[in-house]
Amino acid sequence: MKRHLIEDLKFRQKVNSESNESFSEMLENLEKKVKTLTEECSNKKVSIDSLKQRLNVAVKEKSQYEQMYQKTKEELEKKDLKLTFLISKINETESAMAEIETAASKQLQGLALQSEQVLEAAQKKLLLANEKVEEFTIFVKALVKELENDVYVIRQQIRELKKLQKNRNTCKTSAQKAQTLAASILNISRSDLEEILETEDESEIEKIKIETENDKEWLLYIQKLLEGQLPFASYLLEAVLEKINENKKLVEVYFTIMKDI
């Protein structure tokens, strides 16, 4: 009986030993799985934190762009009202000039038959007409200068938006790494490198030169019309409307880029 008990105990010990080995292997596998899951959770947490930061930056940028869009829209609406008012003033001035020219022509035809007093009154009216013409000339010069300045400003705004649009389409992280590498190779600072990268290419500079020359030619053409012989109202109106249409087209381009951003 003792022998049987000893053998039975040995058998149970062997079974328990095998069972312990099996449990040890299971425990080791579970520990490996727990470690793997812990690493995955840590990586996902880092990824989630990064996404949260990017989301906060995107929300902030969206708010800024919405404010810029609203402000620009209000300014353009004011400019449009101003242009409408100026066009109406041009029409009124042309009508007044036509009336003045008609009145002056009638007065000149009857000068030989009128008395000295009537001649003096006619001269006063002609003097007033000349003053009105001078005022009209000053008004037109101010108008064309304002139009030229509006076109210049909207061009600059479009260029800035295109730069902003181009920068947004570039991966910021990759760009920063590339700039750092380029700066180390060229032995210059990051700020100097960014200044070099932001320099406009030759085609853009050439385009600006052409636009500037066109604006100068347009202003010179308006000046020649005002100093030339009558009638010139139709040519003047055509030239002004040309610049107004150019400004409207630039405004449409501006809003298209703003909506895209």
Side-chain angles (χ1 to χ4, degrees):
M1 290 179 67
K2 288 180 180 180
R3 189 182 301 114
H4 285 298
L5 286 172
I6 292 170
E7 290 177 355
D8 184 57
L9 289 172
K10 287 181 178 180
F11 176 76
R12 290 183 180 182
Q13 185 178 9
K14 182 179 180 181
V15 171
N16 289 332
S17 176
E18 292 176 353
S19 177
N20 287 334
E21 289 178 358
S22 176
F23 282 128
S24 297
E25 291 178 358
M26 289 177 61
L27 181 61
E28 184 178 356
N29 291 332
L30 288 174
E31 288 178 349
K32 290 180 179 180
K33 288 183 179 180
V34 170
K35 183 178 180 181
T36 302
L37 290 174
T38 302
E39 291 178 354
E40 290 180 355
C41 290
S42 178
N43 293 333
K44 288 183 179 180
K45 183 180 179 182
V46 172
S47 177
I48 290 172
D49 292 338
S50 176
L51 290 173
K52 285 182 178 180
Q53 292 178 356
R54 292 172 61 186
L55 178 61
N56 292 333
V57 172
V59 171
K60 186 177 180 180
E61 288 183 351
K62 179 184 176 184
S63 177
Q64 292 176 349
Y65 292 138
E66 287 177 349
Q67 292 177 0
M68 288 174 60
Y69 174 79
Q70 187 63 31
K71 182 179 178 181
T72 306
K73 183 179 179 181
E74 293 175 356
E75 291 179 354
L76 290 174
E77 287 177 352
K78 292 179 180 178
K79 293 288 185 182
D80 191 49
L81 291 174
K82 190 175 182 180
L83 285 174
T84 303
F85 174 75
L86 290 175
I87 291 173
S88 65
K89 284 296 182 182
I90 289 176
N91 294 331
E92 292 177 2
T93 305
E94 286 184 342
S95 178
M97 286 184 64
E99 293 177 359
I100 291 170
E101 290 174 359
T102 302
S105 177
K106 291 180 179 180
Q107 290 294 335
L108 289 173
Q109 291 176 359
L111 279 177
L113 303 175
Q114 292 176 353
S115 63
E116 186 176 350
Q117 183 179 2
V118 175
L119 179 60
E120 183 180 356
Q123 289 176 344
K124 289 181 179 180
K125 287 184 178 181
L126 286 174
L127 180 61
L128 179 61
N130 289 332
E131 291 176 353
K132 288 185 177 180
V133 170
E134 289 179 1
E135 286 294 320
F136 169 74
T137 302
I138 294 172
F139 163 75
V140 172
K141 289 181 179 179
L143 169 63
V144 298
K145 189 63 180 176
E146 183 71 15
L147 287 175
E148 191 269 338
N149 184 66
D150 286 348
V151 171
Y152 172 81
V153 170
I154 194 68
R155 282 176 187 158
Q156 291 296 108
Q157 291 176 345
I158 289 174
R159 290 191 183 96
E160 293 298 326
L161 281 179
K162 285 183 177 179
K163 288 182 182 179
L164 181 61
Q165 187 181 38
K166 183 178 179 182
N167 292 335
R168 280 178 57 81
N169 292 334
T170 304
C171 179
K172 294 182 179 179
T173 304
S174 298
Q176 290 176 354
K177 291 181 180 178
Q179 288 180 8
T180 303
L181 179 59
S184 63
I185 294 173
L186 297 175
N187 194 22
I188 59 177
S189 65
R190 280 287 301 278
S191 60
D192 292 337
L193 179 62
E194 291 175 355
E195 183 177 356
I196 293 173
L197 293 176
E198 290 177 357
T199 303
E200 296 183 0
D201 55 21
E202 293 181 0
S203 61
E204 187 66 20
I205 295 174
E206 186 64 25
K207 182 180 178 182
I208 294 173
K209 288 182 180 178
I210 293 173
E211 290 173 349
T212 303
E213 289 298 324
N214 290 338
D215 288 343
K216 289 181 179 178
E217 292 179 1
W218 180 76
L219 290 173
L220 183 61
Y221 175 69
I222 296 294
Q223 184 69 26
K224 288 182 178 180
L225 285 177
L226 294 175
E227 295 175 356
Q229 296 180 351
L230 298 173
F232 60 83
S234 60
Y235 300 103
L236 179 62
L237 179 61
E238 182 180 357
V240 172
L241 289 177
E242 177 185 355
K243 187 60 66 174
I244 291 174
N245 290 331
E246 181 183 359
N247 186 68
K248 288 184 177 180
K249 290 179 181 179
L250 289 173
V251 169
E252 291 176 358
V253 172
Y254 180 88
F255 273 113
T256 300
I257 298 175
M258 282 291 293
K259 289 180 181 178
D260 182 59
I261 294 179

